[in-house]
Amino acid sequence: MNIIFLEAVQIHGGARKSTIELAKRLNEEGHNSVIVDFWGSCNEFTEDVKANKIPIKILKKNDSPIAIFSTRNPLKVGINITLFLLDWIRLKKEFKKFQNTFKPDVVIVNNIKTNSILKKGKDYKIAYFARGWFAYNSIGFLKKLMFKYNSDYFIGVSQATRQAIYTGGLAPLENVFVVPNAIDLAKVDQYRKEKPERKDNDPMVILHCGGFLPAKGQDLSISLARRLKENNINFKIILMGAVYDTPVSENFLNKIRKDISQYKLDDHVEILLNQKDPYSIFKNSDILIHPSDTEGLPRVIMEALAFEIPVIANPVGGVTDYILHNFTGYIATHNSVDDYYEYIYKLYNDRELYKFIAGNGKSLIVNNYDKSNQVEEFDKIFKKLGKS
């Protein structure tokens, strides 16, 4: 099967890494996958695609995408809209030329930009891949229309996403599939061999992964650090994530830094930005916390469980696909510092409980989120299309 993953990448994060891994796995299984990117403006992404030996096509090389509302000046906004429309027309033409040559059976999109240059009813099927949480109420009316009428079927990364798409009235259940993320367990095991044995006087290392945005919950980590310090827990919290090129992200990061200084947490909280080798941090961590407001099927939780790191998380999106409370991890009342503290305290003081939770989490990943499971689910979709 010929498959196009159509992208408009601005930042190379976990979702994009999952797309690259999926394209590579499908090619290894005999399919013909290619990644098509609008602008090729994210060098880290394009280099990662090439490093994994996946063909990539840049539709219209541009150092940076056109951001319509990058200014409040009405005149400049009008100019940006004009430039965007001209860019959109060119992208549409370039894609059509590539499509005529490549002849895809399916084009997989993940946002409204990429969906907008396609037209349903052509020689290919359009699959909308909802890689994050599908918050239906936050989607504008015009976007809902496009999702519903310019997609042949939907793919979600979790059962929660599948239900959100269905209950939003965008598609019947038979046209909504679930293809979860997958992980290279051999790579994880290679890093785990380097994990040092924890000694009694070592601090418990608590990892929080996520871009620096209010919705990702670093505020809670600061409150948690204050509580742990007040109760003389031997700990260290690592805030690992990207800072985005937006005022919201930069201002939030500055706020977190000020809070660390204000509450005298410099010895207990460390910030790691844009980490190139996150597994080197995982191997030295003891607990992952995930106080996020919205998620699809967070890759970072899957990675933590594979490393046998217990996870404490908010019950959002597909988190509950991974975390069975008191068995594979802990579900906290949303952003409850009390709950996060309680579960960390349990794991800190009970090594047998720690091993029980960690072992169950690893078994879940081994049995359900290996790369073979992911490819198998995609093959079911191809059979549904009658193209396999």
Side-chain angles (χ1 to χ4, degrees):
M1 173 167 280
N2 291 339
I3 306 157
I4 290 177
F5 288 89
L6 185 57
E7 300 283 335
V9 179
Q10 297 182 43
I11 294 175
H12 187 31
R16 264 69 190 199
K17 290 176 183 177
S18 295
T19 296
I20 292 171
E21 290 173 351
L22 175 57
K24 182 179 180 180
R25 288 166 190 150
L26 290 173
N27 286 346
E28 289 171 349
E29 292 297 314
H31 296 290
N32 185 21
S33 298
V34 62
I35 291 177
V36 176
D37 189 35
F38 271 18
W39 308 288
S41 58
C42 181
N43 291 329
E44 188 180 357
F45 173 75
T46 56
E47 289 169 5
D48 198 3
V49 174
K50 292 173 183 176
N52 281 278
K53 297 181 171 57
I54 303 166
I56 183 169
K57 166 71 176 177
I58 308 300
L59 292 182
K60 182 178 176 291
K61 181 60 182 171
N62 206 353
D63 290 336
S64 61
I66 297 170
I68 294 175
F69 298 106
S70 59
T71 175
R72 294 184 179 181
N73 185 313
L75 178 60
K76 290 183 178 179
V77 169
I79 293 172
N80 286 344
I81 290 174
T82 302
L83 291 173
F84 178 82
L85 289 174
L86 292 172
D87 192 60
W88 180 84
I89 291 169
R90 176 72 180 276
L91 289 167
K92 192 175 177 72
K93 287 181 178 177
E94 291 300 319
F95 179 81
K96 187 174 182 181
K97 284 196 290 186
F98 181 74
Q99 171 221 327
N100 290 336
T101 302
F102 185 74
K103 300 188 183 306
D105 297 300
V106 59
V107 180
I108 299 175
V109 298
N110 63 81
N111 58 46
I112 206 69
K113 291 177 185 174
T114 50
N115 186 271
S116 71
I117 70 167
L118 306 178
K119 187 175 181 181
K120 189 175 176 181
K122 293 294 184 181
D123 295 330
Y124 54 84
K125 297 291 185 182
I126 301 172
Y128 186 90
F129 198 172
R131 296 186 301 203
W133 171 237
F134 204 83
Y136 183 79
N137 289 336
S138 68
I139 301 170
F141 177 71
L142 291 178
K143 287 185 178 181
K144 288 175 183 175
L145 287 179
M146 184 166 285
F147 287 142
K148 184 171 184 176
Y149 296 109
N150 203 44
S151 301
D152 293 291
Y153 59 104
F154 289 79
I155 305 168
V157 290
S158 70
Q159 294 296 337
T161 304
R162 183 175 191 250
Q163 290 300 317
I165 292 168
Y166 167 67
T167 56
L170 297 181
L173 281 173
E174 61 266 24
N175 288 340
V176 188
F177 300 89
V178 175
V179 179
N181 294 328
I183 194 167
D184 184 348
L185 291 168
K187 182 179 178 182
V188 170
D189 289 339
Q190 181 181 350
Y191 274 82
R192 283 189 68 247
K193 290 176 183 177
E194 303 170 6
K195 184 180 177 82
E197 189 71 25
R198 183 172 170 237
K199 299 173 184 174
D200 290 340
N201 60 343
D202 288 339
M204 176 165 276
V205 179
I206 302 165
L207 181 61
H208 179 164
C209 296
F212 281 85
L213 294 168
K216 292 300 181 180
Q218 284 87 356
D219 273 337
L220 180 135
S221 289
I222 299 301
S223 298
L224 178 61
R226 294 175 64 192
R227 177 75 62 84
L228 291 167
K229 182 181 177 182
E230 288 168 2
N231 287 277
N232 298 315
I233 302 295
N234 187 14
F235 78 98
K236 181 178 182 179
I237 291 180
I238 297 177
L239 303 177
M240 181 171 69
V243 56
Y244 305 114
D245 189 19
T246 66
V248 171
S249 184
E250 292 170 359
N251 291 339
F252 185 66
L253 174 60
N254 289 334
K255 177 187 179 302
I256 294 300
R257 283 177 167 156
K258 288 178 182 177
D259 287 346
I260 292 171
S261 177
Q262 178 183 347
Y263 298 118
K264 297 180 173 56
L265 296 171
D266 302 80
D267 294 336
H268 294 285
V269 181
E270 179 181 1
I271 293 175
L272 292 178
L273 297 178
N274 306 316
Q275 181 70 29
K276 301 295 184 183
D277 183 19
Y279 281 9
S280 64
I281 309 303
F282 274 98
K283 74 178 183 182
N284 295 313
S285 300
D286 299 301
I287 292 175
L288 177 80
I289 59 173
H290 200 71
S292 178
D293 285 345
T294 176
E295 288 294 343
L297 191 69
R299 177 189 178 93
V300 65
I301 291 183
M302 177 175 62
E303 291 170 327
L305 296 179
F307 269 90
E308 295 191 49
I309 299 172
V311 176
I312 307 165
N314 285 348
V316 294
V319 167
T320 50
D321 281 26
Y322 290 133
I323 305 300
L324 181 62
H325 188 61
N326 283 322
F327 190 72
T328 60
Y330 293 99
I331 294 294
T333 303
H334 190 81
N335 284 347
S336 168
V337 176
D338 290 341
D339 281 4
Y340 279 90
Y341 176 80
E342 176 189 344
Y343 302 137
I344 286 172
Y345 186 84
K346 283 183 178 180
L347 294 167
Y348 178 77
N349 288 288
D350 190 336
R351 293 303 297 170
E352 289 305 312
L353 175 64
Y354 183 99
K355 291 177 182 178
F356 174 77
I357 297 292
N360 292 338
K362 177 66 179 285
S363 295
L364 174 79
I365 300 302
V366 169
N367 290 299
N368 294 281
Y369 296 97
D370 184 57
K371 58 185 180 180
S372 60
N373 300 95
Q374 188 182 51
V375 172
E376 181 182 330
E377 291 304 314
F378 246 102
D379 282 338
K380 289 179 183 178
I381 298 174
F382 298 151
K383 288 178 182 178
K384 171 81 172 180
L385 292 173
K387 300 267 188 182
S388 58

